[in-house]
Amino acid sequence: MTSRRTLLKGTLFGSAAALLPTAASASGGGPLLRLPAPSGPYPVGLRTVHLTDPARTDPWVGGVRELMLTVLYPARTVRGRSRAPQLTPAEAEAFAEYAPHVHQGLPQRGAVDWGAVLTHGYAGAPPLPGRWPVLVYSPGGGDSRTLGTGLAEDLASHGRVVVLVDHPGDASQVELPTGMRRTVLTGPPDPATFRTMADTRIADLRCVLDRLGGLPLAPVMDPDRIGLYGHSAGGTAAVYAARGDRRVGAVANLEGYLDLYPTPAGLGRPLLLLRTDGFEGAARIESSWAGLPGRRALLAGANHWAFTDYGALVPQLQAAGLVTATVRAALVGTGDPAVTRAGVRRRVGAFFARHLP
């Protein structure tokens, strides 16, 4: 494996005062959206990390490849700490502009205060001593890592370190120390763009795996129990990144195509293949998964983005009259969001509990 001189810079979110939602904000107020609480016995700590890879050139803008990570972990105590926002103010502003263009029918800018959504992760909380399994997450194409917060917090609350990886360039928005990176995508990617996305994501994930030992939470990570999981394009990247990498003990693919490269036969480790019954790409998904050994599961009454935080947030927007039933069905399905969420958490959590015990 190519060696990398990768630089790490760990940062915490801002002051406690900046983490608290206000009754109204510059982004326009609207309903106060809530992420579902994690179900595990441990409170969750949170840190953000800036990572650069001088050995690679960013395929979208040139220069050194940069990544942003969120690391979630079991916390020893959260006393005196504040819950971190899902998005920084600058990220919330960019997301408010981006979301209704990518998913037509989502509220226009100013209708929702995206910056007021709080995670259940406590910024800078001390980690609970131990050696915990490590899960690395790649989001869907065009999504930022923040849209995977709910599932990641639940996994962390059951005794795991979860690393959410942003992929600047195709991600909707990523706030880097060098400035805000907005997506290069103006619509569904053509085959060449998608191939660049996948190749870049695979390299990003392998870079993160190379540098787990240098992350701020490395002392509580177990390098012998590592899993990858991802949604959509992130699921694609997770499976191919694991191929040939013996550090990875298990992989969960949440509705990602596996037909970009030769069939990843001989993956040689447990594989979860989880999809929804409402996704318009179901036929291609099934075709690309054909013949793969792995545990398959189907979410009824759900659609593609039910795996993300849209699964919790979009029904709240519908209840507030900001999203139609048609838009909700196209994004997350018509089923009870609590049932769908429980199904995702149970299947993904049980899979990694079994194979990374």
Side-chain angles (χ1 to χ4, degrees):
M1 181 173 295
T2 302
S3 63
R4 293 181 171 93
R5 294 188 304 108
T6 306
L7 308 179
L8 293 170
K9 181 181 179 181
T11 61
L12 299 182
F13 280 100
S15 66
L19 301 177
L20 298 176
T22 57
S25 76
S27 60
L32 183 60
L33 303 178
R34 300 182 184 278
L35 293 175
S39 64
Y42 303 117
V44 177
L46 179 151
R47 299 188 190 183
T48 61
V49 175
H50 174 232
L51 182 154
T52 65
D53 186 355
R56 279 195 298 149
T57 299
D58 191 292
W60 309 110
V61 297
V64 171
R65 181 64 175 166
E66 295 183 84
L67 302 175
M68 287 300 295
L69 315 178
T70 297
V71 185
L72 302 163
Y73 52 92
R76 178 172 54 81
T77 178
V78 296
R79 182 175 300 173
R81 305 286 176 170
S82 298
R83 287 166 59 187
Q86 187 178 28
L87 298 170
T88 68
E91 289 170 339
E93 183 73 13
F95 180 76
E97 296 177 4
Y98 168 87
H101 294 289
V102 175
H103 301 301
Q104 292 187 1
L106 285 181
Q108 295 296 314
R109 178 183 176 188
V112 177
D113 184 0
W114 295 107
V117 181
L118 292 181
T119 72
H120 292 85
Y122 290 81
L128 186 66
R131 298 286 277 180
W132 307 103
V134 182
L135 303 179
V136 180
Y137 171 74
S138 179
D143 286 347
S144 71
R145 72 191 191 279
T146 59
L147 282 171
T149 297
L151 177 57
E153 289 180 337
D154 192 69
L155 291 167
S157 76
H158 286 275
R160 303 172 181 99
V161 176
V162 184
V163 182
L164 306 181
V165 182
D166 248 331
H167 303 286
D170 78 80
S172 53
Q173 77 290 319
V174 184
E175 188 171 11
L176 296 158
T178 51
M180 179 66 69
R181 284 281 299 276
R182 294 173 181 255
T183 184
V184 301
L185 302 179
T186 57
D190 57 55
T193 300
F194 193 83
R195 180 64 65 91
T196 300
M197 284 172 51
D199 289 344
T200 303
R201 285 161 168 265
I202 292 167
D204 288 345
L205 291 176
R206 287 177 174 164
C207 178
V208 172
L209 292 175
D210 289 346
R211 296 302 162 184
L212 286 177
L215 295 182
L217 276 297
V220 296
M221 297 182 183
D222 186 345
D224 294 323
R225 291 186 292 169
I226 296 175
L228 298 181
Y229 73 109
H231 170 241
S232 196
T236 303
V239 172
Y240 287 106
R243 186 173 53 174
D245 193 326
R246 303 312 305 174
R247 294 172 296 186
V248 180
V251 186
N253 175 8
L254 312 180
E255 211 155 59
Y257 299 124
L258 296 178
D259 56 5
L260 293 184
Y261 309 93
T263 304
L267 186 63
R269 68 217 66 189
L271 174 64
L272 174 65
L273 299 168
L274 183 58
R275 71 175 184 89
T276 65
D277 65 353
F279 183 40
E280 62 182 5
R284 181 182 168 189
I285 286 286
E286 281 295 290
S287 175
S288 72
W289 291 0
L292 283 177
R295 182 178 182 83
R296 286 168 166 76
L298 180 71
L299 290 174
N303 212 330
H304 192 56
W305 283 272
F307 293 109
T308 74
D309 292 333
Y310 281 129
L313 300 178
V314 168
Q316 295 176 55
L317 293 173
Q318 184 191 15
L322 295 175
V323 159
T324 67
T326 299
V327 170
R328 170 186 168 163
L331 286 174
V332 302
T334 59
D336 183 334
V339 173
T340 301
R341 179 170 61 250
V344 174
R345 289 178 170 187
R346 181 177 65 254
R347 288 176 172 88
V348 176
F351 172 75
F352 284 120
R354 178 180 180 183
H355 298 293
L356 304 175

